Amino acid sequence: MKKKLIVLLGISLSLSIAACSGKLKQVDKEGTGSAENVSTEEVNDLEPTEELQETEKSSEEEASAQEEETIYNIGETIALGDWEITVTGMQIVDSVSSGEYFEFRPGEEGDKYAQITATVSNKGKKSDRFLPSYGLGGDVSVKFVYGDGYEFSSTQLIAYERELHDARINPLSSQEGEIFFEVPEIVANSTDEILIRFSSGSDRVSIKVR
């Protein structure tokens, strides 16, 4: 009788130990799962930070590139794609005469023309248009940049004999002409810096004219 009792007690003790072991394993698994979840959330929390760092780095590089932009002076010859451009002068005028009877005036009262004189050379192997009216990405365009980044588009004087817009220039040839910008009186009378910025695709060059 005692032997049976001992055997039964031994079996009961074994079952209790096995049950406890199973519970411990279950708790360990749950604990591990919880740790894994925390680790995944921490990784996810890091991802936006890394993206933000990349964005900040890109912005800093762009700002640095703008700060390092070379500013040329009147009279210097600058290469831009297949073109060489030399700005030779700038003056503010009320109107522009063409022949004996033609005269161009700004559209808004009080506005002036910024008259840019330049020589353009085609260094490419084909005849090409400078400052085309309907340009593609790689064609040359121009802006008048005043003071703290105010940009003005050029004004094409149709039928003006010295107009450089749409000037057809043969390879290894040059043409002298003018580019006009209609600007407010406050810009004309100011002493703030003025740049003429030529662009072709992602390339650009700037000339300080005042």
Side-chain angles (χ1 to χ4, degrees), residues 31 45 71 80 88 96 99 115 141:
D45 288 342
I71 306 297
L80 181 64
T88 55
V96 180
Q115 182 181 36
S141 61

Side-chain angles (χ1 to χ4, degrees), residues 41-108:
E41 289 173 2
E42 288 175 352
V43 171
N44 290 337
D45 288 342
L46 287 175
E47 288 176 355
T49 303
E50 292 173 356
E51 291 175 1
L52 181 59
Q53 289 174 347
E54 288 296 324
T55 302
E56 289 175 349
K57 183 179 178 182
S58 176
S59 299
E60 288 173 0
E61 288 175 352
E62 289 177 2
S64 176
Q66 290 179 355
E67 289 175 0
E68 295 173 0
E69 179 185 4
T70 302
I71 306 297
Y72 296 89
N73 296 311
I74 288 177
E76 293 185 288
T77 299
I78 305 155
L80 181 64
D82 289 334
W83 300 97
E84 283 187 351
I85 305 166
T86 308
V87 172
T88 55
M90 191 277 285
Q91 61 178 337
I92 303 296
V93 297
D94 294 324
S95 62
V96 180
S97 297
S98 178
E100 189 176 352
Y101 302 105
F102 259 152
E103 186 178 63
F104 298 92
R105 287 187 173 275
E108 296 293 330

Side-chain angles (χ1 to χ4, degrees), residues 73-76 85-93 113-119 144 162 164 176-181 194-196 198 207-210:
N73 296 311
I74 288 177
E76 293 185 288
I85 305 166
T86 308
V87 172
T88 55
M90 191 277 285
Q91 61 178 337
I92 303 296
V93 297
Y113 282 133
Q115 182 181 36
I116 308 300
T117 305
T119 299
F144 177 100
R162 288 179 55 80
L164 278 176
E176 184 185 24
E178 294 162 6
I179 306 167
F180 294 90
F181 300 89
I194 294 174
L195 303 177
I196 302 302
F198 293 94
I207 303 96
K208 182 178 178 180
V209 295
R210 187 176 72 184

